[in-house]
Amino acid sequence: MRKGISVPIFMVLMFILLVAVLVPAYLLFSSTQIYSNQGSQQATGYLEGQSQEVNQVFRGNPNVYYNSSKTPYLQVLFTSIPYPLNLTQIYYFNGTSWDPILKSSLVVAGNTFIPLPSKAFNKPVIMVSGEGNVYFLNPNTSINTVNVQGPAGKFPVYIASFVENGSSYIPVSVSVLFPSSSSSALTPSVYYVLPGTYPLTDVDNTTFLPQYGITGVFQNWSIVGGTLSNTNQLSTSVTVFAPTVITAIYKAQTNKYTVTIKPRNLPLAPNTTTENSRGSITLTSLNSTIPVKIDNKTYEISSNGTELNLTYGYHIVQFPAQYNITFNYSTFNYSFSSNGGHPKFSSQFSAPAGEINCYILTNLFSNTSNISIAGPNEIFVKGPGMVYGNYSLGDVYYASIVSNYFFLPKGATLDKNSTPILGNIAGQLIQVNNTFVIGPIDNYHNQILYFKNGTILLFTYQYLTGITGDFTINGQVYSQLLSCPVNITAIYPIGNKVNIVAYHPEQLGSITIDSPIYIIDYQEWSYGGVAL
């Protein structure tokens, strides 16, 4: 009987034990999951808040403008229903570090002007929001750089850089290594890192601002929201425990040195060159200066060069890659008498602007170790000296001066005319190389063409032409005249040589351009008539 009762009693005891142990265990594990979900939901809500604030700001609601006047202020304007902006701190850059402005957090829920200290004039400012976003503003700009939301548990690290030039601070881009020695980027940059200590290196000891013609040399780091192991070295360590802003500060070099910029091997006016290989050839330069861009400012520099006071550091010196110089070309040809005595002058030839020489820039060169050549168009100045732009002669072009000469048949006299018909009358009547025609396009004005040295001009056709008007020739009245091509004459400067090209197609010839040349198309008014 007792044995039968013991079994039910044992079952009751085991049930009580299960209830006492398993139910609390179940509740414990299930509540842990609930707490975990709550933490995840809180992180998600935080990220959504960050994202929503960023989107609102970028959409201009609010629009934050930094007016950097003598009495600087931040202007916050909402374009629709205000989205409250909770500002935990505002910083301005004092030249070496970031100074806080707010004594406590500020909630902006409507159009607001936030006054800034007068010391903030012409200096960048930083706004840190309660959502953990960092907004960066240069003087007289709206928000253009913002930390977007990052992964939960990570802090944004914003790295910027400036050059201090007197009372102004100029944003620049430099290369930094963060958060590891293998991760390189240009400032400004945003990173998201877990709390901890990370290496930070500024790769560029100097930075050049070509638009200002100044070089900045690294001075120190500045930080807001974290700590730096050393602020005066290019390489340091940063400890991150909150949203952080790090600034690399450069100091503009103001020491100035006298530097002469000068072209070399460039025959600028009043240069005159005389050659005697083919008689006495005189080339007189018509170009007196060459445009040279130095630190984005153009100077017209003569053969004597120009002196500038340049600051220590890098400078841009841009000579034209190719520069053309035009010369007046003249000769005074001569031949020796049979007994080898004094020369006997024979003829003179002149071609205004008859030659164009193309000079090619080869390199920059300095005559002193005070100035080094840093690149094709860049120098580094450490002291006074001279910088040359070296040129070498490239292609040479000669002028072909083309004119027409219309005349009447022998014995004919022009009594009256309503339009010019004699001399250099307009008409492009010479076909060259079967491709184009040459000749003056205005009465009494030559056509001037330039051809590369060695070019061959093949005269492939000589056209006739007609003219309409009222003409009286030898007492006879005509309303139309028709020309007949006679020949083409090419006059060279060498010995005043004349090359006659006949009209007849089988006798058409060619000329080689190796000097300026006059080309004259002779045409006779051979026929006349009256319109019916």
Side-chain angles (χ1 to χ4, degrees):
M1 185 67 180
R2 292 179 179 176
K3 184 176 181 180
I5 296 175
S6 65
V7 173
I9 294 174
F10 174 78
M11 294 294 291
V12 170
L13 292 175
M14 288 301 296
F15 176 77
I16 295 173
L17 180 63
L18 288 173
V19 171
V21 175
L22 296 180
V23 171
Y26 171 78
L27 293 175
L28 175 64
F29 285 115
S30 63
S31 63
T32 301
Q33 180 65 33
I34 293 173
Y35 295 144
S36 176
N37 290 338
Q38 288 177 344
S40 176
Q41 291 171 1
Q42 289 176 346
T44 301
Y46 174 73
L47 294 179
E48 289 178 352
Q50 275 191 324
S51 177
Q52 186 174 4
E53 182 184 272
V54 169
N55 291 335
Q56 290 290 334
V57 170
F58 271 129
R59 291 172 182 171
N61 189 43
N63 178 38
V64 182
Y65 177 76
Y66 173 29
N67 186 315
S68 183
S69 59
K70 293 295 184 180
T71 55
Y73 60 87
L74 291 174
Q75 182 180 21
V76 184
L77 297 176
F78 290 88
T79 57
S80 60
I81 298 175
Y83 179 87
L85 183 62
N86 181 16
L87 298 179
T88 58
Q89 192 52 267
I90 300 174
Y91 299 87
Y92 78 93
F93 189 67
N94 66 11
T96 57
S97 62
W98 295 92
D99 283 350
I101 296 174
L102 299 180
K103 295 181 179 180
S104 61
S105 62
L106 174 66
V107 177
V108 180
N111 295 342
T112 305
F113 287 87
I114 305 174
L116 303 177
S118 58
K119 294 180 180 180
F121 168 66
N122 207 31
K123 297 177 176 66
V125 299
I126 292 172
M127 297 186 345
V128 180
S129 76
E131 298 291 351
N133 289 318
V134 177
Y135 302 89
F136 188 90
L137 293 101
N138 283 314
N140 300 311
T141 63
S142 295
I143 289 176
N144 55 12
T145 303
V146 62
N147 286 342
V148 294
Q149 68 276 9
K154 293 188 176 183
F155 292 114
V157 177
Y158 180 79
I159 303 178
S161 51
F162 301 94
V163 172
E164 180 184 355
N165 184 28
S167 61
S168 63
Y169 294 86
I170 307 169
V172 292
S173 290
V174 298
S175 181
V176 294
L177 300 177
F178 182 85
S180 68
S181 59
S182 61
S183 176
S184 176
L186 291 176
T187 60
S189 292
V190 178
Y191 303 85
Y192 296 94
V193 297
L194 293 170
T197 300
Y198 301 90
L200 171 64
T201 299
D202 187 341
V203 177
D204 303 312
N205 182 52
T206 61
T207 182
F208 178 52
L209 289 80
Q211 67 272 34
Y212 300 97
I214 59 175
T215 295
V217 177
F218 177 82
Q219 181 172 272
N220 65 277
W221 296 99
S222 178
I223 191 169
V224 173
T227 60
L228 290 169
S229 62
N230 192 313
T231 60
N232 299 318
Q233 299 294 325
L234 288 170
S235 294
T236 184
S237 296
V238 56
T239 299
V240 178
F241 50 80
T244 302
V245 176
I246 305 171
T247 308
I249 304 167
Y250 289 76
K251 181 74 172 179
Q253 297 299 297
T254 57
N255 293 334
K256 292 187 176 182
Y257 305 96
T258 300
V259 178
T260 300
I261 310 295
K262 186 176 182 179
R264 197 176 192 182
N265 301 325
L266 205 61
L268 296 172
N271 181 278
T272 298
T273 303
T274 301
E275 301 174 3
N276 293 309
S277 59
R278 298 185 300 178
S280 179
I281 301 175
T282 301
L283 300 177
T284 304
S285 176
L286 300 179
N287 300 71
S288 59
T289 61
I290 179 173
V292 181
K293 184 177 289 186
I294 304 171
D295 294 334
N296 289 327
K297 182 179 179 180
T298 300
Y299 299 82
E300 292 291 337
I301 298 181
S302 69
S303 57
N304 295 324
T306 188
E307 287 189 354
L308 298 174
N309 291 322
L310 299 183
T311 57
Y312 172 93
Y314 291 98
H315 293 274
I316 298 296
V317 179
Q318 290 179 299
F319 280 85
Q322 176 178 307
Y323 192 66
N324 299 338
I325 295 183
T326 303
F327 299 88
N328 284 339
Y329 185 107
S330 62
T331 64
F332 204 69
N333 303 303
Y334 55 86
S335 60
F336 288 96
S337 60
S338 58
N339 60 5
H342 296 290
K344 178 182 178 182
F345 294 99
S346 58
S347 62
Q348 189 171 5
F349 177 96
S350 177
E355 181 174 332
I356 297 178
N357 290 353
C358 302
Y359 293 88
I360 309 299
L361 179 68
T362 56
N363 63 294
L364 295 179
F365 169 78
S366 178
N367 66 343
T368 174
S369 59
N370 289 336
I371 303 174
S372 56
I373 308 303
N377 299 305
E378 192 173 21
I379 62 174
F380 191 91
V381 176
K382 297 177 288 186
M386 185 173 291
V387 176
Y388 296 96
N390 282 330
Y391 282 87
S392 62
L393 179 61
D395 295 326
V396 176
Y397 292 81
Y398 293 109
S400 293
I401 304 164
V402 187
S403 63
N404 293 329
Y405 187 81
F406 286 85
F407 59 94
L408 293 173
K410 186 177 181 179
T413 302
L414 179 62
D415 301 321
K416 180 182 177 182
N417 60 297
S418 61
T419 187
I421 64 170
L422 300 179
N424 191 11
I425 306 302
Q428 295 192 303
L429 306 175
I430 302 174
Q431 186 188 73
V432 180
N433 296 344
N434 283 314
T435 55
F436 61 96
V437 293
I438 61 176
I441 59 176
D442 296 311
N443 290 341
Y444 310 120
H445 289 85
N446 298 334
Q447 181 187 36
I448 302 178
L449 305 168
Y450 288 91
F451 296 98
K452 186 177 177 180
N453 181 34
T455 299
I456 296 177
L457 301 182
L458 175 64
F459 298 126
T460 49
Y461 208 84
Q462 186 180 13
Y463 297 98
L464 54 77
T465 189
I467 194 169
T468 300
D470 294 323
F471 313 105
T472 302
I473 301 175
N474 289 348
Q476 180 69 41
V477 176
Y478 301 96
S479 60
Q480 293 178 335
L481 298 178
L482 186 65
S483 71
C484 179
V486 177
N487 60 49
I488 301 171
T489 301
I491 303 176
Y492 293 87
I494 304 174
N496 208 27
K497 179 181 178 181
V498 177
N499 183 22
I500 304 297
V501 180
Y503 159 63
H504 303 289
E506 65 274 9
Q507 298 182 35
L508 287 177
S510 64
I511 58 174
T512 299
I513 302 298
D514 58 3
S515 67
I517 189 171
Y518 284 89
I519 300 173
I520 306 173
D521 180 7
Y522 287 94
Q523 301 262 347
E524 180 186 83
W525 295 115
S526 299
Y527 307 97
V530 178
L532 298 177

